[in-house]
Amino acid sequence: MIKKILFATLFVAAAQSAFAQARFFGAVKVEYEKTTAVRQLMKDLAGGDNWFEQNKERFPVSLLNYYDFTGDTTRSLYQPGKDVPLDPRLWWRPVADKNVV
Protein backbone atom coordinates (compact mmCIF):
# COMPACT_ATOMS: atom_id res chain seq x y z
CA MET A 1 0.00 0.00 0.00
CA ILE A 2 2.77 2.44 0.92
CA LYS A 3 4.60 1.53 -2.28
CA LYS A 4 1.52 2.39 -4.36
CA ILE A 5 1.10 5.79 -2.64
CA LEU A 6 4.79 6.57 -3.03
CA PHE A 7 4.73 5.53 -6.69
CA ALA A 8 1.63 7.65 -7.37
CA THR A 9 3.20 10.67 -5.64
CA LEU A 10 6.42 10.35 -7.64
CA PHE A 11 4.45 9.90 -10.87
CA VAL A 12 2.42 13.07 -10.25
CA ALA A 13 5.56 15.05 -9.35
CA ALA A 14 7.34 13.84 -12.51
CA ALA A 15 4.33 14.69 -14.67
CA GLN A 16 4.15 18.21 -13.23
CA SER A 17 7.83 18.84 -13.85
CA ALA A 18 7.45 17.59 -17.44
CA PHE A 19 4.60 20.04 -18.08
CA ALA A 20 6.56 22.86 -16.45
CA GLN A 21 9.31 22.44 -19.05
CA ALA A 22 6.82 23.01 -21.86
CA ARG A 23 6.23 26.67 -20.94
CA PHE A 24 8.17 28.91 -23.32
CA PHE A 25 7.48 32.46 -24.38
CA GLY A 26 7.16 32.72 -28.14
CA ALA A 27 8.25 36.36 -28.20
CA VAL A 28 9.94 38.62 -25.69
CA LYS A 29 10.71 42.33 -25.40
CA VAL A 30 13.07 43.66 -22.73
CA GLU A 31 13.89 47.33 -22.15
CA TYR A 32 17.29 48.08 -20.61
CA GLU A 33 18.37 51.24 -18.85
CA LYS A 34 22.13 51.76 -18.77
CA THR A 35 23.67 54.35 -16.47
CA THR A 36 27.31 55.34 -17.00
CA ALA A 37 29.12 57.17 -14.21
CA VAL A 38 30.85 59.78 -16.37
CA ARG A 39 32.86 61.48 -13.62
CA GLN A 40 34.15 58.17 -12.31
CA LEU A 41 35.04 57.09 -15.85
CA MET A 42 36.99 60.30 -16.43
CA LYS A 43 38.69 59.94 -13.06
CA ASP A 44 39.80 56.41 -13.95
CA LEU A 45 41.05 57.54 -17.36
CA ALA A 46 43.03 60.41 -15.83
CA GLY A 47 45.06 58.01 -13.71
CA GLY A 48 46.68 60.00 -10.92
CA ASP A 49 46.80 63.31 -12.79
CA ASN A 50 45.53 66.56 -11.33
CA TRP A 51 43.69 67.14 -14.62
CA PHE A 52 40.48 65.50 -13.41
CA GLU A 53 40.20 67.59 -10.25
CA GLN A 54 40.58 70.78 -12.28
CA ASN A 55 37.95 69.80 -14.85
CA LYS A 56 35.43 67.59 -13.03
CA GLU A 57 32.71 70.27 -13.05
CA ARG A 58 32.77 70.14 -16.85
CA PHE A 59 31.45 66.57 -16.85
CA PRO A 60 27.94 65.38 -15.95
CA VAL A 61 27.71 63.00 -13.00
CA SER A 62 26.10 60.26 -15.07
CA LEU A 63 24.83 59.45 -18.55
CA LEU A 64 21.62 57.51 -19.14
CA ASN A 65 20.93 55.34 -22.23
CA TYR A 66 18.04 53.04 -23.11
CA TYR A 67 18.22 49.85 -25.18
CA ASP A 68 15.58 47.38 -26.40
CA PHE A 69 15.94 43.64 -26.89
CA THR A 70 13.25 41.86 -28.90
CA GLY A 71 13.30 38.24 -29.88
CA ASP A 72 11.31 35.17 -30.79
CA THR A 73 12.16 31.55 -31.48
CA THR A 74 14.06 32.33 -34.72
CA ARG A 75 15.82 35.68 -34.25
CA SER A 76 16.72 38.44 -31.82
CA LEU A 77 17.43 42.17 -32.11
CA TYR A 78 19.33 44.45 -29.72
CA GLN A 79 19.04 48.15 -30.58
CA PRO A 80 18.97 51.62 -29.04
CA GLY A 81 15.74 52.49 -27.28
CA LYS A 82 14.13 55.82 -26.59
CA ASP A 83 16.24 58.95 -26.99
CA VAL A 84 17.39 60.91 -23.99
CA PRO A 85 18.46 64.55 -24.34
CA LEU A 86 22.20 64.90 -23.91
CA ASP A 87 23.73 67.03 -21.21
CA PRO A 88 25.27 70.10 -22.89
CA ARG A 89 28.44 69.60 -20.83
CA LEU A 90 29.02 66.26 -22.55
CA TRP A 91 31.50 66.95 -25.33
CA TRP A 92 32.14 63.31 -26.21
CA ARG A 93 29.87 60.54 -27.41
CA PRO A 94 30.04 56.94 -26.10
CA VAL A 95 31.53 54.53 -28.62
CA ALA A 96 29.09 52.25 -30.47
CA ASP A 97 26.03 53.49 -28.59
CA LYS A 98 23.88 53.41 -31.75
CA ASN A 99 24.83 49.90 -32.93
CA VAL A 100 22.11 47.42 -33.86
CA VAL A 101 22.94 43.78 -33.30
Side-chain angles (χ1 to χ4, degrees), residues 1-46:
M1 179 74 171
I2 295 177
K3 287 183 181 181
K4 288 182 182 180
I5 293 173
L6 182 61
F7 179 73
T9 305
L10 290 174
F11 180 74
V12 170
Q16 285 179 344
S17 68
F19 288 121
Q21 298 297 323
R23 294 183 196 142
F24 182 77
F25 295 104
V28 64
K29 180 177 181 180
V30 180
E31 296 178 356
Y32 293 95
E33 178 181 291
K34 178 184 172 190
T35 304
T36 305
V38 176
R39 287 191 183 171
Q40 185 62 44
L41 178 64
M42 291 298 170
K43 184 177 181 180
D44 292 345
L45 290 174

Side-chain angles (χ1 to χ4, degrees), residues 44-98:
D44 292 345
L45 290 174
D49 295 342
N50 195 20
W51 170 85
F52 173 75
E53 292 301 324
Q54 294 172 352
N55 296 307
K56 72 179 176 181
E57 294 303 319
R58 294 184 182 185
F59 304 116
V61 175
S62 63
L63 175 66
L64 187 64
N65 290 317
Y66 292 96
Y67 297 97
D68 293 331
F69 175 81
T70 54
D72 58 21
T73 57
T74 59
R75 61 185 166 209
S76 61
L77 179 67
Y78 184 77
Q79 64 186 357
K82 59 184 173 181
D83 288 331
V84 178
L86 290 177
D87 191 321
R89 295 177 293 175
L90 192 62
W91 51 269
W92 60 280
R93 194 80 182 137
V95 177
D97 67 330
K98 298 295 181 190

